[in-house]
Protein backbone atom coordinates (compact mmCIF):
# COMPACT_ATOMS: atom_id res chain seq x y z
CA UNK A 1 0.00 0.00 0.00
CA UNK A 2 1.05 3.59 -0.65
CA UNK A 3 0.18 6.89 1.00
CA UNK A 4 0.41 9.90 -1.32
CA UNK A 5 -0.08 13.62 -0.89
CA UNK A 6 -0.09 16.51 -3.33
CA UNK A 7 -0.88 20.18 -2.82
CA UNK A 8 -3.86 21.29 -4.91
CA UNK A 9 -2.97 24.20 -7.20
CA UNK A 10 -5.80 26.57 -6.27
CA UNK A 11 -3.86 29.52 -7.69
CA UNK A 12 -4.24 28.11 -11.20
CA UNK A 13 -7.67 29.20 -12.43
CA UNK A 14 -7.83 26.65 -15.22
CA UNK A 15 -7.07 23.77 -12.89
CA UNK A 16 -9.42 25.08 -10.22
CA UNK A 17 -12.25 25.42 -12.76
CA UNK A 18 -11.97 21.74 -13.69
CA UNK A 19 -12.39 20.61 -10.08
CA UNK A 20 -16.07 21.51 -9.87
CA UNK A 21 -17.40 18.56 -7.88
CA UNK A 22 -16.57 15.23 -6.24
CA UNK A 23 -16.78 13.32 -9.53
CA UNK A 24 -13.99 15.50 -10.92
CA UNK A 25 -11.76 14.69 -7.94
CA UNK A 26 -12.65 11.00 -8.31
CA UNK A 27 -11.63 11.17 -11.96
CA UNK A 28 -8.34 12.81 -11.01
CA UNK A 29 -7.60 10.02 -8.55
CA UNK A 30 -8.42 7.28 -11.05
CA UNK A 31 -6.31 8.93 -13.76
CA UNK A 32 -3.33 8.75 -11.41
CA UNK A 33 -3.29 4.97 -12.06
CA UNK A 34 -3.28 4.73 -15.88
CA UNK A 35 -2.02 1.13 -15.93
CA UNK A 36 -4.88 -0.23 -13.84
CA UNK A 37 -8.07 -1.62 -15.25
CA UNK A 38 -11.12 0.45 -14.40
CA UNK A 39 -12.35 -0.27 -10.84
CA UNK A 40 -9.57 -2.82 -10.34
CA UNK A 41 -8.86 -1.34 -6.91
CA UNK A 42 -10.61 1.00 -4.51
CA UNK A 43 -8.59 4.13 -3.87
CA UNK A 44 -9.26 5.99 -0.62
CA UNK A 45 -8.82 9.74 -0.70
CA UNK A 46 -9.81 12.97 0.99
CA UNK A 47 -9.11 16.69 0.82
CA UNK A 48 -7.27 18.21 3.78
CA UNK A 49 -6.83 21.92 4.42
CA UNK A 50 -3.73 23.03 6.31
CA UNK A 51 -2.70 26.68 6.77
CA UNK A 52 -4.86 27.91 3.87
CA UNK A 53 -3.54 25.24 1.52
CA UNK A 54 -5.50 22.24 0.28
CA UNK A 55 -4.03 18.79 -0.21
CA UNK A 56 -5.22 15.60 -1.87
CA UNK A 57 -4.41 12.66 0.39
CA UNK A 58 -4.56 9.21 -1.19
CA UNK A 59 -4.19 5.57 -0.04
CA UNK A 60 -3.76 3.00 -2.80
CA UNK A 61 -2.53 -0.57 -3.37
CA UNK A 62 -0.25 0.60 -6.18
CA UNK A 63 2.00 3.63 -6.57
CA UNK A 64 0.36 6.49 -8.52
CA UNK A 65 2.03 8.06 -11.55
CA UNK A 66 3.51 11.32 -10.28
CA UNK A 67 2.83 13.21 -13.51
CA UNK A 68 -0.88 12.37 -13.32
CA UNK A 69 -1.06 12.90 -9.56
CA UNK A 70 0.20 16.46 -10.10
CA UNK A 71 -2.29 17.16 -12.91
CA UNK A 72 -4.23 19.54 -10.66
CA UNK A 73 -1.47 19.91 -8.11
CA UNK A 74 1.43 22.25 -7.51
CA UNK A 75 4.33 20.95 -9.63
CA UNK A 76 6.90 19.14 -7.51
CA UNK A 77 4.63 18.87 -4.46
CA UNK A 78 3.74 15.16 -4.76
CA UNK A 79 4.97 12.92 -1.95
CA UNK A 80 4.60 9.11 -1.96
CA UNK A 81 5.60 6.74 0.84
CA UNK A 82 5.29 3.00 1.41
CA UNK A 83 2.25 2.87 3.71
CA UNK A 84 2.70 -0.80 4.63
CA UNK A 85 5.88 0.04 6.56
CA UNK A 86 4.00 2.52 8.72
CA UNK A 87 0.87 0.40 9.19
CA UNK A 88 2.93 -2.65 10.14
CA UNK A 89 4.75 -0.62 12.80
CA UNK A 90 1.53 -0.01 14.76
CA UNK A 91 0.85 -1.92 17.95
CA UNK A 92 -2.26 -3.00 19.81
CA UNK A 93 -2.91 -0.67 22.74
CA UNK A 94 -1.15 2.24 21.03
CA UNK A 95 -2.63 5.72 21.55
CA UNK A 96 -3.03 7.71 18.35
CA UNK A 97 -4.35 11.06 17.19
CA UNK A 98 -6.78 10.50 14.30
CA UNK A 99 -8.52 12.36 11.50
CA UNK A 100 -11.45 10.96 9.51
CA UNK A 101 -13.66 12.46 6.83
CA UNK A 102 -16.82 10.39 6.51
CA UNK A 103 -20.34 10.30 5.12
CA UNK A 104 -22.40 9.42 8.21
CA UNK A 105 -26.03 8.52 7.68
CA UNK A 106 -27.99 9.63 10.73
CA UNK A 107 -31.48 8.19 11.12
CA UNK A 108 -34.36 9.06 13.40
CA UNK A 109 -37.73 7.34 13.26
CA UNK A 110 -36.65 5.43 10.17
CA UNK A 111 -35.86 8.63 8.27
CA UNK A 112 -32.46 9.90 7.15
CA UNK A 113 -31.61 13.27 8.72
CA UNK A 114 -29.20 15.67 7.04
CA UNK A 115 -25.83 15.47 8.72
CA UNK A 116 -25.13 19.18 8.27
CA UNK A 117 -28.08 20.27 10.40
CA UNK A 118 -26.71 21.68 13.68
CA UNK A 119 -29.84 20.70 15.57
CA UNK A 120 -32.99 18.65 15.14
CA UNK A 121 -35.37 21.29 16.49
CA UNK A 122 -38.38 19.01 16.35
CA UNK A 123 -36.84 16.64 18.87
CA UNK A 124 -34.51 19.09 20.60
CA UNK A 125 -31.52 16.83 20.11
CA UNK A 126 -28.05 17.96 19.23
CA UNK A 127 -27.01 16.73 15.78
CA UNK A 128 -23.34 16.78 16.74
CA UNK A 129 -24.04 14.12 19.37
CA UNK A 130 -25.71 11.94 16.74
CA UNK A 131 -22.75 12.34 14.42
CA UNK A 132 -20.40 11.30 17.21
CA UNK A 133 -22.64 8.32 17.99
CA UNK A 134 -22.32 7.26 14.36
CA UNK A 135 -18.57 6.87 14.88
CA UNK A 136 -18.90 5.36 18.36
CA UNK A 137 -21.09 2.63 16.86
CA UNK A 138 -18.30 1.69 14.45
CA UNK A 139 -15.37 1.57 16.86
CA UNK A 140 -15.42 -2.12 17.75
CA UNK A 141 -15.89 -3.21 14.13
CA UNK A 142 -12.85 -1.19 13.11
CA UNK A 143 -10.58 -2.18 16.00
CA UNK A 144 -10.33 0.98 18.09
CA UNK A 145 -11.91 2.96 20.88
CA UNK A 146 -12.00 6.71 21.43
CA UNK A 147 -10.47 7.42 24.80
CA UNK A 148 -11.58 9.88 27.47
CA UNK A 149 -9.64 12.84 28.86
CA UNK A 150 -8.99 13.66 32.50
CA UNK A 151 -12.47 15.18 32.80
CA UNK A 152 -14.14 11.97 31.62
CA UNK A 153 -15.07 13.48 28.22
CA UNK A 154 -14.42 11.61 24.99
CA UNK A 155 -11.48 12.97 22.98
CA UNK A 156 -13.43 13.61 19.79
CA UNK A 157 -14.42 16.74 17.92
CA UNK A 158 -16.26 17.51 14.71
CA UNK A 159 -14.06 20.06 12.95
CA UNK A 160 -16.02 20.37 9.72
CA UNK A 161 -19.52 19.72 8.34
CA UNK A 162 -20.52 20.53 4.79
CA UNK A 163 -22.31 19.36 1.66
CA UNK A 164 -20.27 18.52 -1.43
CA UNK A 165 -21.75 18.35 -4.91
CA UNK A 166 -21.58 15.18 -7.00
CA UNK A 167 -22.44 15.27 -10.70
CA UNK A 168 -22.69 12.34 -13.08
CA UNK A 169 -23.35 12.91 -16.76
CA UNK A 170 -27.01 12.43 -17.53
CA UNK A 171 -27.99 12.22 -13.85
CA UNK A 172 -29.50 14.71 -11.47
CA UNK A 173 -26.83 16.25 -9.23
CA UNK A 174 -26.80 15.27 -5.57
CA UNK A 175 -25.14 16.62 -2.44
CA UNK A 176 -23.17 14.31 -0.19
CA UNK A 177 -22.66 15.06 3.48
CA UNK A 178 -19.04 15.35 4.58
CA UNK A 179 -18.15 15.33 8.26
CA UNK A 180 -14.54 15.54 9.48
CA UNK A 181 -13.70 14.10 12.90
CA UNK A 182 -10.54 14.57 14.93
CA UNK A 183 -9.63 13.02 18.26
CA UNK A 184 -7.57 10.47 20.16
CA UNK A 185 -8.07 6.72 19.91
CA UNK A 186 -6.62 3.51 21.26
CA UNK A 187 -6.00 0.50 19.01
CA UNK A 188 -7.95 -2.43 20.49
CA UNK A 189 -7.76 -4.96 17.63
CA UNK A 190 -4.72 -4.52 15.42
CA UNK A 191 -5.92 -6.61 12.48
CA UNK A 192 -9.28 -4.84 12.28
CA UNK A 193 -7.63 -1.44 12.65
CA UNK A 194 -5.15 -2.13 9.86
CA UNK A 195 -8.09 -3.08 7.65
CA UNK A 196 -9.83 0.20 8.50
CA UNK A 197 -6.72 2.18 7.55
CA UNK A 198 -6.54 0.42 4.18
CA UNK A 199 -10.24 -0.01 3.36
CA UNK A 200 -11.83 3.01 5.04
CA UNK A 201 -14.89 3.53 7.23
CA UNK A 202 -18.46 4.19 6.12
CA UNK A 203 -20.00 5.02 2.75
CA UNK A 204 -19.08 6.94 -0.41
CA UNK A 205 -15.43 5.90 -0.29
CA UNK A 206 -14.98 6.61 -4.00
CA UNK A 207 -15.90 10.26 -3.40
CA UNK A 208 -13.54 11.46 -0.71
CA UNK A 209 -15.02 9.81 2.38
CA UNK A 210 -13.87 7.00 4.66
CA UNK A 211 -10.12 7.66 4.87
CA UNK A 212 -8.85 7.60 8.46
CA UNK A 213 -5.26 8.55 9.24
CA UNK A 214 -3.39 8.39 12.55
CA UNK A 215 -0.20 9.69 14.14
CA UNK A 216 1.29 8.54 17.47
CA UNK A 217 0.76 10.78 20.50
CA UNK A 218 4.30 10.13 21.74
Amino acid sequence: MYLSRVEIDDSNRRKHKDLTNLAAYHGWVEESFPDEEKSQFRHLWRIDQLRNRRYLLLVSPKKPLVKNLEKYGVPGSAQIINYDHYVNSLKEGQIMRFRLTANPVVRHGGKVIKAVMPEDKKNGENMRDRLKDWLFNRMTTNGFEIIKNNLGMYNIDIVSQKEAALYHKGCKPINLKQVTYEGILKITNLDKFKEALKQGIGREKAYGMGLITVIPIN
Side-chain angles (χ1 to χ4, degrees):
M1 298 291 290
Y2 293 89
L3 176 65
S4 309
R5 191 180 83 160
V6 62
E7 182 182 346
I8 300 172
D9 193 356
D10 286 326
S11 64
N12 187 309
R13 292 185 178 181
R14 180 189 60 79
K15 292 181 180 180
H16 191 268
K17 184 179 179 180
D18 288 343
L19 297 175
T20 55
N21 69 96
L22 293 177
Y25 285 97
H26 170 72
W28 176 17
V29 168
E30 296 304 307
E31 289 173 10
S32 297
F33 303 90
D35 295 331
E36 289 182 5
E37 296 180 8
K38 188 174 181 180
S39 301
Q40 183 180 1
F41 297 111
R42 170 173 285 162
H43 305 115
L44 287 175
W45 62 273
R46 74 168 186 243
I47 304 299
D48 281 350
Q49 184 157 343
L50 301 171
R51 295 183 291 276
N52 297 319
R53 296 181 179 181
R54 293 194 308 142
Y55 297 86
L56 171 69
L57 196 66
L58 169 64
V59 170
S60 59
K62 291 188 175 181
K63 186 181 293 187
L65 185 65
V66 171
K67 178 182 178 182
N68 293 15
L69 183 62
E70 291 186 344
K71 179 178 180 179
Y72 297 106
V74 175
S77 68
Q79 298 174 301
I80 304 172
I81 65 170
N82 187 313
Y83 200 36
D84 284 324
H85 290 167
Y86 178 71
V87 172
N88 291 334
S89 73
L90 301 178
K91 299 178 181 178
E92 202 158 290
Q94 195 168 4
I95 307 299
M96 316 286 290
R97 189 175 300 279
F98 76 89
R99 182 179 180 92
L100 165 69
T101 295
N103 174 241
V105 173
V106 181
R107 298 178 182 274
H108 182 75
K111 296 181 179 180
V112 175
I113 301 174
K114 289 186 177 181
V116 292
M117 291 174 59
E119 184 180 354
D120 179 3
K121 296 182 179 179
K122 181 178 179 181
N123 297 285
E125 295 179 10
N126 191 304
M127 180 55 65
R128 293 176 69 87
D129 288 339
R130 292 187 182 177
L131 294 176
K132 291 178 182 179
D133 286 342
W134 177 89
L135 186 54
F136 289 145
N137 292 335
R138 284 156 180 78
M139 293 191 303
T140 301
T141 304
N142 292 286
F144 69 91
E145 65 180 18
I146 297 171
I147 65 174
K148 295 182 179 181
N149 58 26
N150 293 334
L151 299 176
M153 304 291 289
Y154 283 104
N155 278 294
I156 181 175
D157 192 20
I158 294 171
V159 298
S160 174
Q161 298 183 60
K162 63 181 180 180
E163 290 186 334
L166 173 62
Y167 298 91
H168 284 302
K169 187 175 182 180
C171 299
K172 185 177 180 180
I174 60 174
N175 289 321
L176 296 180
K177 313 303 181 294
Q178 285 185 330
V179 178
T180 299
Y181 303 84
E182 290 184 355
I184 300 175
L185 60 77
K186 177 181 179 181
I187 301 174
T188 55
N189 184 305
L190 189 56
D191 290 337
K192 289 182 178 180
F193 189 66
K194 286 182 178 180
E195 191 70 11
L197 291 176
K198 295 178 179 181
Q199 300 298 325
I201 299 174
R203 298 154 36 108
E204 305 298 347
K205 295 174 183 176
Y207 298 107
M209 270 73 85
L211 174 56
I212 180 171
T213 52
V214 292
I215 56 174
I217 293 294
N218 296 319

